[in-house]
Amino acid sequence: MQALAWLGFVIGLGVLLITGSSVIKTLLIPRNLSSVIGTAVAASVLAVYRMVTARIHDDVTRRERIYASGAPTYLFALLVCWIICLYVAYTLMLLPFSRHSVDFALRLSGSSLFTLGFADPAGAAPYGIVFAAAISGLGVIALMIGYLPTLYAAYNRRETLVIMLEALSGKPPWGPELLARQELIRNTSYLPRLYERWTEWAADISESHTTYQTLIYFRSRYPEQAWPLALLSVLDAAALQLSLNPESAPAEIRPFLRVGYITMRSIAGTLGFEVNDDPHPDDPLVLTREDFDAGVRHVAEAGWKFERQPDEAWAHFRGWRVNYEAAAYDIAAHLDLPPAVWSGPRSRFGVAAMPQRPAHREPRAPEAIESSPDPGESSSAEDPEDTDTSLDMPGW
């Protein structure tokens, strides 16, 4: 019996070291380090959520509402798992000093771990174990509490530009629509500033989301504006502009493309996907030439003038997109994101919707206002000149 008790002590010490390693790697070391406990909990939570959402095909809002609780659930489950592991570890370590009574060891471990103090040890060695248990319980909970503000601060930084992108490219985001809208409102001079801000944003995402992997699973506030789709759309807009207008393209494009596709690759690698760090410009794309031509026509219809013909621009565009397409598609499929144009195949959700462009609104001319009837007077619907259609003009 004494031998079994000491064997339990050794096993408990091993469980304690594994748990401590998981806590340190997750909460203290600012690097992407995996642990046995963290990996097991993450896989279990992800499997449960995928099983729950497997049959939800059409209701994107409901599915995203379920997924929104996934990351917080993981953090709570991880904390509970750590506490249980510590409880079991200290129970096994106290067995040799509790007269071989499992019940007393359990009560002593729980009393110490949760600082309840209803059980007293006997002897110097068990006192040391009890003190260690008390410090461990308080320490793990305190570290988790301190960990949450860091996560939510990074989340808020991430979502600011994502939400701003809705006004620039619509929902869901799409690269050609981003360029088309800026041309429609004569705001293309803002694009250099946009690329500069998204360069800094991508660098922040690369650092924070690989350091704190849980952030990857925090869903964006609006389902159609998922942050990987937002980054993909801005990358496509930059690649498209640089391919079609190489002479007038702003200098901020190339740094953004470089930082952007490195960010995509680093996050895909963090999720366990194999990433080609040096693709050839002629490597195959999932995006077809027909898709590219449709995007070019969409931009041309807004009045964008090209310096390079689409036939020539296609080779340059695919040379840029090959750097990030596979990583972006892997991330979107892994996170089970809503469908978006040019964001990869996710067949169970059907065809991706085009971005919705708001109706164009302009004030009526003064003479039109003066000639309009009073609110109390009825106007003849038979006279076409009495009908004002200026508020229904398409565009933005």
Side-chain angles (χ1 to χ4, degrees), residues 13 108 124 171 235 274-275:
L13 183 60
L108 189 58
K171 292 192 302 186
L235 283 170
E274 293 185 5
V275 179

Side-chain angles (χ1 to χ4, degrees), residues 186-207:
R186 303 297 185 264
N187 195 42
T188 55
S189 60
Y190 177 70
L191 288 172
R193 172 62 175 156
L194 181 140
Y195 296 135
E196 183 180 15
R197 295 192 67 182
W198 276 84
T199 302
E200 298 172 356
W201 181 92
D204 185 25
I205 292 296
S206 180
E207 189 279 329

